[in-house]
Amino acid sequence: MLTVENNQLLTQTGPGTKMGDVLRQYWIPALMAEELPHPDCPPVRVKLLGEELIAFRDTDGNLGLLDEYCPHRKVSLFYGRNENCGLRCAYHGWQFDTEGNCVDVPSEPDSNFKNKVKIKSYPCEERGGVIWTYMGPPELKPELPEQEWMLVSDSQRYISKKVQQCNYFQGLEGGIDSSHVSILHSGSVGGIGVSGKSQSASLLGKDTAPRFEVVDTDYGLLIGARREADEENFYWRITQFLMPFYTMIPPFGGAPRGGHAWVPIDDDNCWVWTWSWTPDRDLTEEEVTQMASGAGIHPLLIPGTFITQANPSNNFQIDRDMQRRGESFAGIFGIGMEDHAVQTSAGPIVDRSTEKLGTSDTAIIKARQCLLKAVKLLENGEDLPALEPSSHHVRSASVLLPKGVPFQEGAKEALQLSEHDYEAV
Ligand code: FES
Ligand SMILES: [Fe+2]
């Protein structure tokens, strides 16, 4: 449980908020690269951390992310023209380059008026099929993070994003909550959702009361969920929480690996980014088809939007027969949508001052502490965790280990992305 004040601190990320300041120290996944497919393509609206922005790719291919609203009379640049290395407002034609400089004011051709005008802009970079932005103080801009999915080739990776109608931290909590897998996903993990998982799925179902061990690390948390496997062994599902909003999914056999980023749109909505990748081979056609079907962790979207077809307005298309038959514990199609439904069902910002936490919530409690501690670190001018790209060189793991072997020792190699791994890709 959290105090009302700490719950606000954790969940409010708009400009000028303390957590907003923390998140703005990190690179943020802003758009799929394919949203801006070529130079001078149509600009795209994107809202991040409560800020309404407009993204574009200029004539030279440079990326820009500007305040959505023109500084002249505040109309939306969404209606503007992306031409001649700048975004031109549709109203009176003021034009801005990717760095936010006003480069043309047609009504004042002979004055230096344009030199006095600037629009808010954030730097962007493209990597791993994602357009990233940095919204913090320019002098503190770190290097881009380096997670494994970003380092593999395009044919080894599948990425999606969707809008989820709740606060980012509510989703993040679900992402590190291994104990719900045996319940909420009991039908889908054993069935349509995950391929190559039979041993993992049967071990998951066998022990629905995992014991958690959580280790503080320099990037966030290492979370071990331990289940009984047999007399000699525990089945460990080990995952990471990486500051400030990344979670990983422990692998199921040889199936593609997975992870998420939970990025605030505003305080009541978040972008859920999902990546699947294979470290050492291309994704198969069957795997890609399965991901696009919405049965697993990736969403099925309303075409032309990032809104899921099953959503709060239609009760996530709940099918009570499917629920009764146990094909999905919640009667909702797709692993990601089962999560989406329960996480949003608590309301946009859950009241953490009245919740009742148990021992299986240890990782969640610690993740909250990580974020709240970051607020203090920033206030004291100290370094924040996970700003070094190499601190992201980790992997989640699912392993059988003899009882008595500490999981972080027994699984050490499996949990580390080696120099060799990422140089090879
Ligand atoms: S409102 Fe944009 S140029 Fe006038
Ligand atoms: Fe889940």
Side-chain angles (χ1 to χ4, degrees):
M1 140 185 176
L2 282 183
T3 61
V4 171
E5 293 72 30
N6 275 347
N7 199 27
Q8 285 171 352
L9 194 55
L10 189 68
T11 53
Q12 295 178 355
T13 64
T17 60
K18 291 182 176 181
M19 196 59 73
D21 287 346
V22 167
L23 298 186
R24 284 169 175 77
Q25 305 288 310
Y26 294 86
W27 281 94
I28 294 169
L31 299 105
M32 318 254 296
E34 66 203 44
E35 290 181 72
L36 296 175
H38 54 78
D40 287 341
C41 63
V44 174
R45 287 191 183 103
V46 57
K47 192 172 183 186
L48 294 168
L49 282 58
E51 298 187 41
E52 291 174 306
L53 305 166
I54 193 101
F56 70 109
R57 200 186 286 269
D58 78 5
T59 314
D60 293 338
N62 299 315
L63 293 163
L65 186 63
L66 310 179
D67 188 344
E68 184 183 339
Y69 300 99
C70 177
H72 178 214
R73 296 256 299 282
K74 299 289 177 176
V75 309
S76 173
L77 290 170
F78 174 78
Y79 298 98
R81 299 167 66 101
N82 186 10
E83 59 186 15
N84 300 332
C85 278
L87 190 57
R88 190 182 291 282
C89 180
Y91 207 177
H92 313 94
W94 292 21
Q95 191 184 27
F96 304 92
D97 69 12
T98 55
E99 290 173 2
N101 302 304
C102 183
V103 291
D104 191 22
V105 175
S107 60
E108 319 250 350
D110 301 322
S111 81
N112 69 348
F113 178 73
K114 68 171 191 273
N115 300 333
K116 298 185 190 134
V117 179
K118 253 203 117 138
I119 189 169
K120 179 171 75 180
S121 77
Y122 295 123
C124 295
E125 282 195 37
E126 186 173 338
R127 188 180 297 172
V130 170
I131 295 169
W132 300 77
T133 192
Y134 172 75
M135 299 168 70
E139 67 280 10
L140 297 177
K141 188 175 78 173
E143 299 287 307
L144 274 176
E146 277 181 8
Q147 296 191 3
E148 187 176 24
W149 63 269
M150 299 168 66
L151 303 168
V152 299
S153 67
D154 290 349
S155 50
Q156 293 171 260
R157 174 176 56 227
Y158 183 95
I159 298 179
S160 63
K161 75 168 190 181
K162 66 174 179 180
V163 173
Q164 184 163 311
Q165 299 78 3
C166 68
N167 185 262
Y168 81 105
F169 202 80
Q170 220 153 297
L172 197 158
E173 287 178 327
I176 53 175
D177 171 20
S178 188
S179 71
H180 80 276
V181 179
S182 305
I183 308 294
L184 179 66
H185 304 314
S186 55
S188 38
V189 169
I192 52 174
V194 181
S195 56
K197 74 296 153 182
S198 49
Q199 192 201 13
S200 317
S202 75
L203 288 166
L204 271 175
K206 205 166 142 186
D207 182 354
T208 57
R211 299 293 149 82
F212 282 85
E213 291 182 26
V214 186
V215 179
D216 289 298
T217 67
D218 59 356
Y219 53 76
L221 301 173
L222 183 62
I223 303 157
R226 189 190 87 189
R227 291 172 168 87
E228 285 288 335
D230 53 44
E231 270 180 26
E232 282 99 51
N233 296 297
F234 286 130
Y235 170 52
W236 285 94
R237 292 182 63 73
I238 308 168
T239 185
Q240 290 87 0
F241 158 61
L242 292 111
M243 281 286 288
F245 42 48
Y246 300 100
T247 57
M248 293 199 180
I249 301 168
F252 290 91
R257 296 169 158 270
H260 296 291
W262 311 87
V263 177
I265 295 175
D266 50 32
D267 293 343
D268 292 348
N269 298 277
C270 64
W271 295 112
V272 183
W273 286 86
T274 304
W275 14 82
S276 297
W277 72 99
T278 36
D280 44 17
R281 63 171 174 86
D282 287 351
L283 290 168
T284 65
E285 233 177 270
E286 193 192 349
E287 284 166 343
V288 172
T289 305
Q290 192 270 343
M291 289 168 194
S293 75
I297 55 178
H298 292 278
L300 201 56
L301 300 172
I302 297 171
T305 76
F306 291 101
I307 312 287
T308 51
Q309 293 192 8
N311 60 55
S313 73
N314 55 26
N315 292 324
F316 294 88
Q317 300 172 332
I318 187 167
D319 179 338
R320 296 290 181 187
D321 287 333
M322 187 160 85
Q323 187 176 37
R324 209 170 293 116
R325 289 195 301 269
E327 286 159 24
S328 159
F329 197 77
I332 288 163
F333 177 73
I335 295 179
M337 293 316 300
E338 289 170 331
D339 286 322
H340 191 144
V342 297
Q343 289 162 10
T344 54
S345 71
I349 302 182
V350 68
D351 178 2
R352 293 179 176 79
S353 70
T354 58
E355 63 189 0
K356 308 274 182 293
L357 299 182
T359 52
S360 65
D361 299 308
T362 312
I364 287 162
I365 295 167
K366 285 209 164 238
R368 295 173 184 177
Q369 288 167 352
C370 283
L371 265 303
L372 293 172
K373 185 175 162 200
V375 169
K376 288 269 174 321
L377 290 173
L378 191 63
E379 277 176 350
N380 297 336
E382 293 174 57
D383 290 344
L384 292 178
L387 284 173
E388 275 292 311
S390 61
S391 60
H392 292 254
H393 292 174
V394 294
R395 279 178 167 164
S396 57
S398 305
V399 286
L400 284 178
L401 290 177
K403 293 180 177 175
V405 174
F407 78 95
Q408 64 272 43
E409 292 303 320
K412 195 169 184 174
E413 256 182 47
L415 292 169
Q416 192 62 38
L417 185 63
S418 71
E419 296 275 314
H420 172 73
D421 292 325
Y422 69 86
E423 271 178 9
V425 291

